Amino acid sequence: MQLYFSPTSPYVRKVSVLLRETGQMADVEHLAIQTTALNTDADLKTANPLGKIPALTRPDAPTLYDSRVICRFLDARAEAGLYPEERIWDTLTLEATGDGIMDCAVSMAYEVKLRPEELVFDDWLTSQWAKIERALDALNNRWMSHLYGPLDIGHISVGCALGYLDLRHDARNWRAGRDALAAWEKSFRERPSMAETVPVA
């Protein structure tokens, strides 16, 4: 199998963390590409018609894309239990919360990076950050018991989302007023799978 990736993508990091946690790194060749929302890599377009990463090619089977699909496939392949049936709806909701933070944060990064400075839509940035703050508050106030429970995909998604906030939006200080979540993140980022996948700008 081959994984199309960029080292700064939080969605790719999700997959990379899961590969490490489930012992499948040796089964996947990593193909680094340069791609943006405005200039999609040609090989990536062939693998994924949407032109998005991550994309996982498989021998004699269609390419998988979207980090949630890829993670679910790899978890099932390894029988790793990162989507536990006994708490599946909480786990999927927590994964969606982490992925939603990524969506907003990536959108903000694109707005600043890809749009001419004089056309940057400040109201869009404000709106996206407000969504992130509501999600962070929910994590801090409602989800800590789950986050301190057995590892599942929700932990990985949230951990990667928070890492991306540090990478692209550190000046906004997401930790302020969220001591419980900040303490969890500090511990979680020390896992080998997280430490080995820290994105570099």
Side-chain angles (χ1 to χ4, degrees):
M1 296 183 289
Q2 296 176 316
L3 180 70
Y4 287 90
F5 83 103
S6 170
T8 58
S9 166
Y11 309 103
V12 168
R13 190 181 186 193
K14 262 182 70 183
V15 175
S16 294
V17 169
L18 185 143
L19 285 171
R20 286 167 170 79
E21 292 286 350
T22 59
Q24 298 182 81
M25 279 294 290
D27 299 336
V28 178
E29 178 187 4
H30 285 57
L31 302 176
I33 59 171
Q34 297 290 327
T35 192
T36 73
L38 300 180
N39 186 20
T40 304
D41 178 87
D43 290 336
L44 178 61
K45 283 191 286 189
T46 300
N48 175 4
L50 297 175
K52 295 183 177 182
I53 52 175
L56 181 73
T57 66
R58 300 175 295 164
D60 304 319
T63 298
L64 300 178
Y65 42 88
D66 189 283
S67 65
R68 281 184 248 193
V69 175
I70 295 171
C71 286
R72 194 71 182 257
F73 166 76
L74 291 171
D75 177 72
R77 181 176 184 268
E79 299 181 349
L82 294 177
Y83 291 85
E85 283 301 321
E86 65 273 17
R87 59 179 192 280
I88 190 61
W89 301 117
D90 286 351
T91 296
L92 292 177
T93 299
L94 193 58
E95 181 187 22
T97 302
D99 284 12
I101 291 172
M102 295 180 204
D103 293 343
C104 294
V106 169
S107 173
M108 291 173 68
Y110 280 164
E111 181 70 20
V112 173
K113 183 177 181 180
L114 299 180
R115 196 183 294 275
E117 184 177 357
E118 66 275 12
L119 297 179
V120 169
F121 190 11
D122 289 333
D123 287 349
W124 175 262
L125 297 176
T126 299
S127 174
Q128 296 306 301
W129 187 253
K131 294 177 184 180
I132 291 172
E133 287 197 309
R134 291 194 298 270
L136 293 172
D137 288 341
L139 292 171
N140 189 73
N141 298 328
R142 303 175 193 170
W143 287 97
M144 296 315 302
S145 60
H146 188 118
L147 288 173
Y148 277 108
L151 179 71
D152 61 33
I153 193 61
H155 298 75
I156 295 172
S157 178
V158 169
C160 293
L162 298 179
Y164 189 76
L165 294 184
D166 285 338
L167 177 70
R168 296 297 190 213
H169 305 292
D170 188 49
R172 292 181 181 267
N173 190 18
W174 68 262
R175 293 173 177 81
R178 302 180 183 96
D179 293 346
L181 184 59
W184 174 82
E185 187 276 337
K186 182 178 180 181
S187 174
F188 191 74
R189 70 176 179 226
E190 294 176 358
R191 294 182 72 91
S193 63
M194 293 293 290
E196 292 168 9
T197 57
V198 174
V200 178

